[in-house]
PDB file of all heavy atoms in Angstrom:
ATOM      1  N   ALA A 162      -6.956   6.521   2.924  1.00 83.00           N
ATOM      2  CA  ALA A 162      -7.057   7.710   3.769  1.00 83.00           C
ATOM      3  C   ALA A 162      -6.593   8.973   3.048  1.00 83.00           C
ATOM      4  O   ALA A 162      -6.998  10.074   3.381  1.00 83.00           O
ATOM      5  CB  ALA A 162      -6.245   7.514   5.047  1.00 83.00           C
ATOM      6  N   THR A 165      -6.138  11.283  -2.871  1.00 88.00           N
ATOM      7  CA  THR A 165      -5.787  12.348  -3.816  1.00 88.00           C
ATOM      8  C   THR A 165      -4.302  12.681  -3.789  1.00 88.00           C
ATOM      9  O   THR A 165      -3.669  12.813  -4.836  1.00 88.00           O
ATOM     10  CB  THR A 165      -6.593  13.624  -3.522  1.00 88.00           C
ATOM     11  OG1 THR A 165      -7.954  13.252  -3.359  1.00 88.00           O
ATOM     12  CG2 THR A 165      -6.479  14.610  -4.650  1.00 88.00           C
ATOM     13  N   GLU A 195      15.934  21.548 -13.464  1.00 95.00           N
ATOM     14  CA  GLU A 195      15.014  22.651 -13.759  1.00 95.00           C
ATOM     15  C   GLU A 195      14.085  22.916 -12.570  1.00 95.00           C
ATOM     16  O   GLU A 195      13.677  24.044 -12.339  1.00 95.00           O
ATOM     17  CB  GLU A 195      14.193  22.331 -15.009  1.00 95.00           C
ATOM     18  CG  GLU A 195      15.023  22.289 -16.287  1.00 95.00           C
ATOM     19  CD  GLU A 195      15.538  23.659 -16.696  1.00 95.00           C
ATOM     20  OE1 GLU A 195      14.836  24.658 -16.469  1.00 95.00           O
ATOM     21  OE2 GLU A 195      16.653  23.730 -17.250  1.00 95.00           O
ATOM     22  N   GLN A 211       3.172  26.798   4.465  1.00 91.00           N
ATOM     23  CA  GLN A 211       3.207  25.842   5.558  1.00 91.00           C
ATOM     24  C   GLN A 211       3.327  26.556   6.914  1.00 91.00           C
ATOM     25  O   GLN A 211       2.739  26.118   7.906  1.00 91.00           O
ATOM     26  CB  GLN A 211       4.373  24.873   5.346  1.00 91.00           C
ATOM     27  CG  GLN A 211       4.096  23.515   5.926  1.00 91.00           C
ATOM     28  CD  GLN A 211       5.209  22.534   5.641  1.00 91.00           C
ATOM     29  OE1 GLN A 211       5.949  22.666   4.679  1.00 91.00           O
ATOM     30  NE2 GLN A 211       5.323  21.534   6.479  1.00 91.00           N
ATOM     31  N   LEU A 318       4.900  47.498 -12.139  1.00 89.00           N
ATOM     32  CA  LEU A 318       5.415  46.870 -13.361  1.00 89.00           C
ATOM     33  C   LEU A 318       4.864  47.552 -14.603  1.00 89.00           C
ATOM     34  O   LEU A 318       5.543  47.701 -15.614  1.00 89.00           O
ATOM     35  CB  LEU A 318       4.974  45.409 -13.399  1.00 89.00           C
ATOM     36  CG  LEU A 318       5.953  44.322 -12.988  1.00 89.00           C
ATOM     37  CD1 LEU A 318       5.252  42.985 -13.028  1.00 89.00           C
ATOM     38  CD2 LEU A 318       7.161  44.318 -13.897  1.00 89.00           C
ATOM     39  N   ASN A 323      -1.678  55.693 -10.822  1.00 92.00           N
ATOM     40  CA  ASN A 323      -2.326  55.400  -9.548  1.00 92.00           C
ATOM     41  C   ASN A 323      -1.924  53.992  -9.128  1.00 92.00           C
ATOM     42  O   ASN A 323      -2.259  53.025  -9.804  1.00 92.00           O
ATOM     43  CB  ASN A 323      -3.846  55.491  -9.732  1.00 92.00           C
ATOM     44  CG  ASN A 323      -4.590  55.144  -8.467  1.00 92.00           C
ATOM     45  OD1 ASN A 323      -3.979  54.847  -7.432  1.00 92.00           O
ATOM     46  ND2 ASN A 323      -5.908  55.176  -8.546  1.00 92.00           N
ATOM     47  N   THR A 334     -15.679  43.612  -9.154  1.00 98.00           N
ATOM     48  CA  THR A 334     -15.847  42.159  -9.317  1.00 98.00           C
ATOM     49  C   THR A 334     -15.897  41.491  -7.944  1.00 98.00           C
ATOM     50  O   THR A 334     -16.694  40.583  -7.710  1.00 98.00           O
ATOM     51  CB  THR A 334     -14.686  41.567 -10.136  1.00 98.00           C
ATOM     52  OG1 THR A 334     -14.749  42.093 -11.454  1.00 98.00           O
ATOM     53  CG2 THR A 334     -14.782  40.047 -10.212  1.00 98.00           C
ATOM     54  N   ASN A 342     -20.748  34.131  -3.344  1.00 98.00           N
ATOM     55  CA  ASN A 342     -20.257  33.105  -2.418  1.00 98.00           C
ATOM     56  C   ASN A 342     -21.223  32.900  -1.258  1.00 98.00           C
ATOM     57  O   ASN A 342     -21.463  31.769  -0.842  1.00 98.00           O
ATOM     58  CB  ASN A 342     -18.868  33.481  -1.890  1.00 98.00           C
ATOM     59  CG  ASN A 342     -17.771  33.119  -2.871  1.00 98.00           C
ATOM     60  OD1 ASN A 342     -17.809  32.057  -3.492  1.00 98.00           O
ATOM     61  ND2 ASN A 342     -16.810  34.000  -3.038  1.00 98.00           N
TER      62      ASN A 342
ATOM     63  N   THR B  58       2.866  21.921   1.179  1.00 91.00           N
ATOM     64  CA  THR B  58       4.051  22.158   0.341  1.00 91.00           C
ATOM     65  C   THR B  58       4.136  21.150  -0.813  1.00 91.00           C
ATOM     66  O   THR B  58       5.143  21.042  -1.490  1.00 91.00           O
ATOM     67  CB  THR B  58       5.316  22.122   1.232  1.00 91.00           C
ATOM     68  OG1 THR B  58       5.103  23.022   2.321  1.00 91.00           O
ATOM     69  CG2 THR B  58       6.566  22.587   0.514  1.00 91.00           C
ATOM     70  N   ARG B  72      11.816  24.703 -19.730  1.00 94.00           N
ATOM     71  CA  ARG B  72      13.109  24.706 -20.412  1.00 94.00           C
ATOM     72  C   ARG B  72      12.930  24.575 -21.923  1.00 94.00           C
ATOM     73  O   ARG B  72      13.674  25.141 -22.708  1.00 94.00           O
ATOM     74  CB  ARG B  72      13.951  23.537 -19.886  1.00 94.00           C
ATOM     75  CG  ARG B  72      15.306  23.423 -20.548  1.00 94.00           C
ATOM     76  CD  ARG B  72      16.002  22.129 -20.171  1.00 94.00           C
ATOM     77  NE  ARG B  72      17.274  22.044 -20.851  1.00 94.00           N
ATOM     78  CZ  ARG B  72      18.414  22.481 -20.333  1.00 94.00           C
ATOM     79  NH1 ARG B  72      18.424  23.002 -19.136  1.00 94.00           N
ATOM     80  NH2 ARG B  72      19.534  22.399 -21.015  1.00 94.00           N
ATOM     81  N   ARG B 121       2.624  42.237 -18.449  1.00 90.00           N
ATOM     82  CA  ARG B 121       3.417  43.370 -18.919  1.00 90.00           C
ATOM     83  C   ARG B 121       3.907  43.174 -20.368  1.00 90.00           C
ATOM     84  O   ARG B 121       3.759  44.071 -21.200  1.00 90.00           O
ATOM     85  CB  ARG B 121       4.569  43.598 -17.940  1.00 90.00           C
ATOM     86  CG  ARG B 121       5.769  44.311 -18.463  1.00 90.00           C
ATOM     87  CD  ARG B 121       5.789  45.751 -18.052  1.00 90.00           C
ATOM     88  NE  ARG B 121       6.425  46.541 -19.092  1.00 90.00           N
ATOM     89  CZ  ARG B 121       7.069  47.660 -18.854  1.00 90.00           C
ATOM     90  NH1 ARG B 121       7.128  48.146 -17.650  1.00 90.00           N
ATOM     91  NH2 ARG B 121       7.630  48.319 -19.832  1.00 90.00           N
ATOM     92  N   HIS B 186     -12.068  14.065   8.238  1.00 90.00           N
ATOM     93  CA  HIS B 186     -11.170  13.571   7.218  1.00 90.00           C
ATOM     94  C   HIS B 186     -11.665  14.011   5.852  1.00 90.00           C
ATOM     95  O   HIS B 186     -12.391  13.311   5.175  1.00 90.00           O
ATOM     96  CB  HIS B 186     -11.013  12.055   7.300  1.00 90.00           C
ATOM     97  CG  HIS B 186      -9.742  11.637   6.668  1.00 90.00           C
ATOM     98  ND1 HIS B 186      -8.573  11.485   7.370  1.00 90.00           N
ATOM     99  CD2 HIS B 186      -9.432  11.433   5.384  1.00 90.00           C
ATOM    100  CE1 HIS B 186      -7.607  11.183   6.544  1.00 90.00           C
ATOM    101  NE2 HIS B 186      -8.095  11.145   5.327  1.00 90.00           N
ATOM    102  N   ASP B 188     -11.340  15.113   1.912  1.00 89.00           N
ATOM    103  CA  ASP B 188     -10.504  14.801   0.764  1.00 89.00           C
ATOM    104  C   ASP B 188     -10.292  16.070  -0.061  1.00 89.00           C
ATOM    105  O   ASP B 188     -11.253  16.782  -0.346  1.00 89.00           O
ATOM    106  CB  ASP B 188     -11.188  13.737  -0.091  1.00 89.00           C
ATOM    107  CG  ASP B 188     -10.220  13.166  -1.088  1.00 89.00           C
ATOM    108  OD1 ASP B 188      -9.518  12.223  -0.726  1.00 89.00           O
ATOM    109  OD2 ASP B 188     -10.143  13.702  -2.212  1.00 89.00           O
ATOM    110  N   HIS B 207     -16.739  38.706 -13.919  1.00 98.00           N
ATOM    111  CA  HIS B 207     -15.638  39.499 -14.462  1.00 98.00           C
ATOM    112  C   HIS B 207     -15.701  39.544 -15.993  1.00 98.00           C
ATOM    113  O   HIS B 207     -15.409  40.573 -16.597  1.00 98.00           O
ATOM    114  CB  HIS B 207     -14.294  38.958 -13.972  1.00 98.00           C
ATOM    115  CG  HIS B 207     -13.202  39.985 -14.026  1.00 98.00           C
ATOM    116  ND1 HIS B 207     -13.187  41.085 -13.218  1.00 98.00           N
ATOM    117  CD2 HIS B 207     -12.122  40.097 -14.834  1.00 98.00           C
ATOM    118  CE1 HIS B 207     -12.134  41.832 -13.509  1.00 98.00           C
ATOM    119  NE2 HIS B 207     -11.464  41.255 -14.489  1.00 98.00           N
ATOM    120  N   ARG B 210     -18.157  42.157 -17.023  1.00 98.00           N
ATOM    121  CA  ARG B 210     -17.602  43.510 -16.883  1.00 98.00           C
ATOM    122  C   ARG B 210     -16.644  43.830 -18.026  1.00 98.00           C
ATOM    123  O   ARG B 210     -16.604  44.959 -18.521  1.00 98.00           O
ATOM    124  CB  ARG B 210     -16.859  43.634 -15.553  1.00 98.00           C
ATOM    125  CG  ARG B 210     -17.791  43.748 -14.355  1.00 98.00           C
ATOM    126  CD  ARG B 210     -16.982  44.052 -13.114  1.00 98.00           C
ATOM    127  NE  ARG B 210     -16.235  45.294 -13.241  1.00 98.00           N
ATOM    128  CZ  ARG B 210     -15.021  45.484 -12.744  1.00 98.00           C
ATOM    129  NH1 ARG B 210     -14.407  44.519 -12.100  1.00 98.00           N
ATOM    130  NH2 ARG B 210     -14.420  46.643 -12.897  1.00 98.00           N
TER     131      ARG B 210
END
Side-chain angles (χ1 to χ4, degrees):
Chain A
T165 313
E195 293 291 326
Q211 210 176 335
L318 260 176
N323 178 1
T334 295
N342 279 319
Chain B
T58 308
R72 179 190 178 92
R121 157 101 212 208
H186 203 93
D188 193 87
H207 203 68
R210 285 188 60 217

